Amino acid sequence: MTPLTATAAALVLVAAGYALGRYRPYQRLGNWANWQLRFHLNRWTSRPRQAALFGLLLLTDPVRTVNAWRHRKDPPPRRSPAVRINGPRIPDHTVNEER
């Protein structure tokens, strides 16, 4: 292999790596699998499909998938109390039409 060929091959590999880094195929595949699991559930016919999608999601984004699986039955967080404004009272500027 000549030095020119080695340099060209290295540039092609760098360009391919850059393109894959910009395209982010694992992230796109994980987002697609998550979308498929959330919105395309058919209880009777898709259990093997769901298992394959869950495996794909576990492969592409293991940390968030395991975290979501662990907390899937947690109760929803409590709502915060309503905002109370304790400041000077604003005078009511109504128009007195009898004058």
Side-chain angles (χ1 to χ4, degrees):
M1 184 183 289
T2 65
L4 183 59
T5 307
T7 304
L11 286 175
V12 166
L13 288 175
V14 167
Y18 178 77
L20 281 175
R22 295 293 290 172
Y23 186 67
R24 298 180 183 166
Y26 278 132
Q27 185 177 11
R28 290 175 187 260
L29 192 60
N31 289 343
W32 176 81
N34 189 15
W35 182 75
Q36 289 288 324
L37 282 171
R38 285 178 185 255
F39 301 113
H40 292 92
L41 297 178
N42 185 353
R43 184 172 178 197
W44 303 108
T45 60
S46 66
R47 293 293 182 201
R49 181 175 168 268
Q50 287 178 2
L53 286 171
F54 182 74
L56 182 64
L57 194 58
L58 188 61
L59 177 71
T60 56
D61 195 1
V63 174
R64 285 194 292 182
T65 302
V66 170
N67 191 27
W69 183 260
R70 284 182 183 157
H71 298 289
R72 69 189 183 279
K73 293 191 178 187
D74 288 352
R78 291 186 52 181
R79 293 181 61 179
S80 61
V83 176
R84 298 184 81 172
I85 300 173
N86 295 329
R89 294 196 47 90
I90 300 173
D92 188 17
H93 295 291
T94 58
V95 177
N96 189 351
E97 296 181 4
E98 295 180 2
R99 283 189 188 179

